[in-house]
Amino acid sequence: MYDIIVVGGGVSGLMAAYSASKNGKKVILIEKNKKLGQKLLISGGGRCNVTNRLPYEEIIKHIPGNGKFLYGPFSTFDNESIIDFVESRGVTLKEEDHGRMFPVSNKAADVLNVFLTELDKNCVTIRYSTIVEEILTGDGGVTGVKLDDGEIIQAGNLIVTTGGRSVPNTGSTGDGHRFARSAGHDITELFPTEVPITSTEDFIRDGRLKGLSLANVALSVLRKNGKPRITHQMDMIFTHFGISGPAALRCSQFVYKEQKSQKRPEISMMVDFYPDKKKTTLQEELDTLLKESPHKSIKNILKSMMQDRLAEFLIDYNGIDGEANSHHLKNEDKQKIIGFLKGFIFTVDGTQSIEKAFVTGGGVNLKEVTPQTMESRLVDGLYFAGEVLDIHGYTGGYNITSALVTGYVAGHSAGMK
């Protein structure tokens, strides 16, 4: 018999198994893959964006899905604790843009090895290629787990760290939500976040802008009244199915939320191609170009302001004669050009599937979990950590921070019992 069972050897499971085993507790970590830390190894493009060094308020702002819940766990273990945990074990970290922390070696495997060494040192039993069929409870508390081959492993404390449903090839296939439901927990609706956005607009379907990459644009998800619900100023790219790139990924969860709010599949999005310039400034720049080259075609003047394909699309979309020179450009066409560049509106109809998402939205209802301990309010000795919970953030080290912090706190709390 064990003191603590950890189900799921991903980011939060590794940290939970480590912190649970610190005080000599007998811990078993059960993983259905042949290896541990599959998602850790692919995070940050294989470099492992291990956490983010921004202040609490900024981190929580970047976790729009219930980030405030983390104030509780942060009082025990936070982003600086993560940095100290990794660096004090010989892996030096470096800070990149927006507070993102990576190992100096740029190797995720170095971070994984920190955990593997600690688990080995603390005599944690690891079972690979092992599938938990169900969690066992009795008299209001945890009693153990039953494996798919019928074997029962007993313990009075159980930490579920099975991830969400995104990137299923890492083993995240929703098992933890099934376990939580069987223990009486509510699972909020699951949806994809940090995922490309789909559209059936003609210009998307005919591939006119496919592969067009735009730097530092402002992409907004619009409410029913036409006002932005959220705006992200980053890079984006048009694809054969819709839009992708950092700005689109960050907007994706709000596409889902607006679909729910507006009770319809099609919602509007807007691109401001020049977010750092006012309309009047852009108007002046265009007027100057027109004056300087009175005999140049409108098409070529616009091509001096932006990428060729965007200029051609702008002309066609607005019904402007691109071959005409500036003498023949109507005032209303000038307005159309500026209006397009500062607010091109198009419709989208959703996102790619949850399996293609980087992060799962929704999960174990946080009202049923104590933030300071990560223990279930319904079942004694049952803990949840990581993406199985209804917490989701943007990419940039925010989700991994949430996973490591909640994993540590769950393991620490179970280990103190």
Side-chain angles (χ1 to χ4, degrees):
M1 183 165 169
Y2 292 89
D3 297 308
I4 302 155
I5 300 169
V6 181
V7 183
V11 178
S12 55
L14 288 165
M15 185 57 100
Y18 157 72
S19 68
S21 61
K22 273 199 310 180
N23 298 321
K25 295 282 186 177
K26 204 173 171 196
V27 177
I28 181 170
L29 173 58
I30 303 174
E31 169 55 51
K32 68 177 179 184
N33 289 315
K34 291 174 186 169
K35 292 176 181 173
L36 298 172
Q38 298 282 70
K39 219 168 180 180
L40 186 79
L41 289 172
I42 61 169
S43 76
R47 296 196 300 133
C48 190
N49 184 183
V50 72
T51 188
N52 194 293
R53 202 159 214 169
L54 291 176
Y56 285 3
E57 290 70 26
E58 282 301 305
I59 287 181
I60 280 157
K61 210 184 281 179
H62 285 84
I63 304 176
N66 298 315
K68 285 180 181 169
F69 178 87
L70 294 174
Y71 277 121
F74 275 163
S75 62
T76 301
F77 194 83
D78 62 10
N79 53 336
E80 289 297 330
S81 310
I82 295 168
I83 293 166
D84 181 59
F85 171 80
V86 175
E87 292 201 319
S88 65
R89 287 160 178 82
V91 176
T92 313
L93 301 178
K94 58 180 173 177
E95 185 172 341
E96 295 190 4
D97 58 329
H98 311 296
R100 298 182 306 149
M101 301 297 292
F102 293 89
V104 169
S105 65
N106 287 326
K107 291 177 183 168
D110 289 352
V111 178
L112 178 58
N113 284 332
V114 166
F115 285 101
L116 299 181
T117 302
E118 289 302 316
L119 298 189
D120 187 48
K121 205 188 288 179
N122 292 357
C123 302
V124 173
T125 301
I126 302 170
R127 290 276 296 266
Y128 297 98
S129 306
T130 302
I131 295 171
V132 173
E133 189 62 43
E134 60 178 303
I135 63 173
L136 306 174
T137 58
D139 296 326
V142 164
T143 59
V145 296
K146 182 182 175 187
L147 306 183
D148 64 342
D149 63 1
E151 182 189 349
I152 288 174
I153 300 172
Q154 293 180 311
N157 294 282
L158 170 67
I159 307 172
V160 177
T161 55
T162 50
R165 275 196 34 220
S166 49
V167 204
N169 61 335
T170 62
S172 300
T173 51
D175 297 345
H177 299 132
R178 181 167 56 81
F179 299 151
R181 270 199 199 95
S182 73
H185 279 275
D186 172 47
I187 306 299
T188 61
E189 188 174 351
L190 304 180
F191 60 95
T193 79
E194 296 298 306
V195 66
I197 295 166
T198 57
S199 171
T200 54
E201 285 271 16
D202 289 343
F203 73 88
I204 295 289
R205 284 197 291 202
D206 64 22
R208 289 203 57 185
L209 296 180
K210 179 185 166 186
L212 181 69
S213 188
L214 302 162
N216 195 37
V217 297
L219 182 67
S220 303
V221 177
L222 303 182
R223 296 183 191 273
K224 207 172 186 174
N225 63 7
K227 297 263 169 46
R229 173 169 185 157
I230 191 78
T231 301
H232 283 294
Q233 189 173 329
M234 302 175 96
D235 301 349
M236 67 167 275
I237 185 168
F238 286 101
T239 67
H240 64 286
F241 56 78
I243 55 172
S244 190
L249 298 185
R250 288 206 168 182
C251 282
S252 60
Q253 62 178 282
F254 298 97
V255 167
Y256 166 83
K257 287 167 184 172
E258 267 309 300
Q259 285 178 313
K260 288 279 168 198
S261 169
Q262 295 185 30
K263 296 185 174 64
R264 58 181 179 186
E266 292 217 324
I267 61 162
S268 297
M269 291 191 76
M270 181 175 79
V271 182
D272 178 348
F273 295 95
Y274 293 93
D276 297 328
K277 290 181 183 178
K278 290 181 177 167
K279 269 189 179 180
T280 48
T281 309
L282 213 50
Q283 181 81 63
E284 286 162 11
E285 285 181 15
L286 179 61
D287 287 340
T288 302
L289 287 169
L290 293 169
K291 274 181 197 152
E292 284 172 355
S293 311
H295 303 298
K296 212 174 183 181
S297 71
I298 300 304
K299 182 162 71 178
N300 285 335
I301 284 172
L302 288 177
K303 281 181 179 180
S304 71
M305 290 177 75
M306 67 198 77
Q307 293 180 65
D308 290 6
R309 285 170 69 201
L310 184 60
E312 285 166 9
F313 177 70
L314 183 161
I315 287 162
D316 286 356
Y317 187 83
N318 290 289
I320 295 168
D321 181 2
E323 300 307 322
N325 61 31
S326 61
H327 289 309
H328 299 100
L329 184 65
K330 301 176 199 158
N331 244 349
E332 65 183 82
D333 285 344
K334 268 195 219 176
Q335 296 311 311
K336 280 182 186 175
I337 291 168
I338 301 303
F340 176 95
L341 292 177
K342 287 299 289 176
F344 169 49
I345 294 174
F346 60 101
T347 60
V348 299
D349 61 359
T351 67
Q352 289 193 326
S353 71
I354 199 164
E355 288 77 19
K356 289 187 177 172
F358 284 110
V359 181
T360 302
V364 176
N365 193 324
L366 298 178
K367 289 176 185 164
E368 300 166 356
V369 178
T370 304
Q372 286 76 14
T373 62
M374 303 311 301
E375 187 171 13
S376 162
R377 295 185 192 270
L378 311 181
V379 181
D380 190 45
L382 176 61
Y383 300 80
F384 298 99
E387 212 178 318
V388 72
L389 294 159
D390 183 10
I391 301 174
H392 55 274
Y394 301 135
T395 53
Y398 306 106
N399 293 293
I400 199 168
T401 298
S402 171
L404 290 170
V405 166
T406 54
Y408 181 92
V409 172
H412 175 74
S413 306
M416 297 297 280
K417 276 200 164 183

